[in-house]
Amino acid sequence: MTLDQLRIFVAVAERCHMTKAAELLGISQSAASAAIRALEEQHGVHLFNRVGRNIELAQTGHRFLPEAKAVLERAAAARNVLEHVSQTVTGSLSIAASQTIASYWLPRRLASFHEAYPAVRLSVTIGNTRQVEANVLDGAADLGLVEGRTESDILRRAKVDVDRLMLVVASSHPEIAELSPGRPDIRGLRWIIREGGSGTREVLEDLARREGISLADLRIFLVLPSNEAVRQAVEAGAGATIISELVVARAVAEGSLRAVPLDLPKRDFAMITHRDRQASLAQMALKAHLGTSADHD
């Protein structure tokens, strides 16, 4: 058996879904299926039961899963030892990042990191904060970058930058009633928001609590899966949203969006890593690089 076969087996076993596991690993569904089939045929076992169009772990698969994960963790530890001995920053890094960070904050930082450490291979997957947290917890990502709160107490969290949030509407939007100066009536607005688990949705939930209401008390018009979709819907006059300044700064400057005065707390951009996994030299180098590049923005 190979380490690649073990990685594919663990990903499929933890999701009980061949296609989702393949997408996470950046391979085709057929390649994932072939790896599982080869592993089963090599050892004359059935690791999964095929139930209609679904799969589930067979008894042998349940017994094999902790051993496979242990082998992968030992392989990662062995690689780290060699890196530390040689003091050469090499290898690969799998990064899971939430949308705002992945689309607007991270790309040029990864470009400059690659110039400094050309021997490190980088891959990035994008999800909301909850999805990024899950990827780091189950080992699908070496590290995560989030702007929302994380819940697990087995994650280390380190701030790498801060983000400013804005309440925006289309430039043609009628004037917004205020309960007091700088305190718009959020119940009177029609809202376009991100899906559950996203950082900007958490901010709106916090704002609603601050006003003594819940998200259910607001007029939620649209729930969309990406910042770009939200921005375009707001520009089209569909309603209001709270969103990162990184996403809408150009639209505000060009006049297609209007910022509404509202005191919103800044939020951290944070790197999350698993407390029980030893960081490689590449991970430590990236952490230092992201912190340094943020200081010079």
Side-chain angles (χ1 to χ4, degrees), residues 13 40-41 48 60 63 72 80-81 85 91-92 104 107 114 130 153 155 158 164 212 223-224 279 294:
E40 291 177 324
E41 290 175 355
F48 295 93
T60 303
R63 293 177 59 189
L72 292 175
N80 290 344
V81 167
V85 168
S92 61
Y104 298 93
H114 178 67
R130 293 285 81 77
D153 59 2
L155 292 176
R164 180 169 174 253
V223 179
L224 294 170

Side-chain angles (χ1 to χ4, degrees), residues 4-25 27-37 39-40 47-50 53-58 61-62 64-65 68-69 72 138 140:
D4 281 342
Q5 287 175 330
L6 293 182
R7 289 189 187 97
I8 292 168
F9 165 73
V10 170
V12 175
E14 290 181 335
R15 288 158 185 81
C16 286
H17 198 288
M18 194 73 68
T19 302
K20 290 181 180 178
E23 289 175 352
L24 180 72
L25 295 170
I27 62 176
S28 67
Q29 188 269 341
S30 59
S33 297
I36 296 297
R37 186 165 57 252
L39 193 58
E40 291 177 324
L47 298 171
F48 295 93
N49 293 321
R50 279 72 176 178
R53 300 181 65 183
N54 300 318
I55 60 172
E56 59 184 28
L57 269 177
H62 277 290
F64 183 53
L65 180 58
K69 294 174 74 172
L72 292 175
D138 67 18

